[in-house]
């Protein structure tokens, strides 16, 4: 089993920045991939970014490419999402997810484990 705990959400003005953290525990993650998803009210969860734990290969949604960066600290078993130039449309609950395959998947059902989510609100 893998447990995931997100933190770092909050309120920020448009143009500001936040850094989300996802702390993972339970087993070795060397063969895992980690993803960030988000869900706005009334909408489905969508991919934001993902990264392979071992190789650090990344993917990004087109809507955040160039503004957000996903990275990991292997010594802390923690994955981060650095969010810059935030827009009101980035407002959502952000979820950390993990899959037991070392490929950064695009789809929600690619992932086996999920955190509880952290709220990000961007004011205009």
């Amino acid at each position: 089993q893998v447990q995931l705990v997100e933190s770092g959400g909050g309120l920020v003005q448009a143009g500001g920045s936040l850094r989300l953290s996802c702390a993972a525990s339970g087993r070795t993650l060397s063969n895992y991939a980690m993803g960030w998803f988000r869900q706005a009210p009334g909408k489905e969860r969508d991919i934001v970014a993902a990264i392979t734990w071992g190789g650090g290969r990344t993917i990004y949604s087109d809507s955040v490419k160039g503004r957000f960066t996903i990275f990991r600290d292997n010594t802390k078993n923690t994955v981060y999402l650095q969010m810059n130039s935030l827009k009101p449309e980035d407002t959502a609950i952000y979820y950390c997810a993990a899959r037991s395959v070392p490929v950064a998947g695009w789809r929600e059902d690619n992932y086996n484990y999920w955190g509880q989510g952290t709220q990000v609100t961007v004011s205009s």
Side-chain angles (χ1 to χ4, degrees):
Q1 293 293 321
V2 174
Q3 293 180 330
L4 306 173
V5 179
E6 303 100 330
S7 62
L11 293 167
V12 66
Q13 288 185 273
S17 298
L18 285 173
R19 180 177 291 182
L20 306 183
S21 299
C22 174
S25 63
R27 65 179 67 183
T28 181
L29 302 175
S30 60
N31 294 320
Y32 277 62
M34 307 291 293
W36 285 98
F37 290 75
R38 66 186 182 185
Q39 185 171 27
K43 298 182 179 180
E44 63 186 6
R45 278 196 286 204
D46 294 323
I47 186 73
V48 177
I51 188 169
T52 58
W53 197 266
R57 181 169 294 180
T58 59
I59 62 171
Y60 293 93
S61 166
D62 287 343
S63 64
V64 307
K65 192 173 297 182
R67 299 188 296 121
F68 292 9
T69 303
I70 187 171
F71 62 100
R72 86 287 195 206
D73 185 337
N74 292 5
T75 66
K76 298 180 179 179
N77 283 353
T78 300
V79 174
Y80 304 91
L81 184 69
Q82 178 66 46
M83 305 185 293
N84 297 327
S85 301
L86 282 161
K87 304 174 180 179
E89 53 263 44
D90 296 318
T91 296
I93 301 174
Y94 284 71
Y95 296 90
C96 180
R99 67 181 308 204
S100 56
V101 177
V103 178
W106 292 95
R107 302 191 307 177
E108 180 179 1
D109 62 6
N110 291 154
Y111 294 84
N112 309 103
Y113 306 99
W114 292 85
Q116 81 287 349
T118 185
Q119 177 71 47
V120 172
T121 302
V122 184
S123 62
S124 60

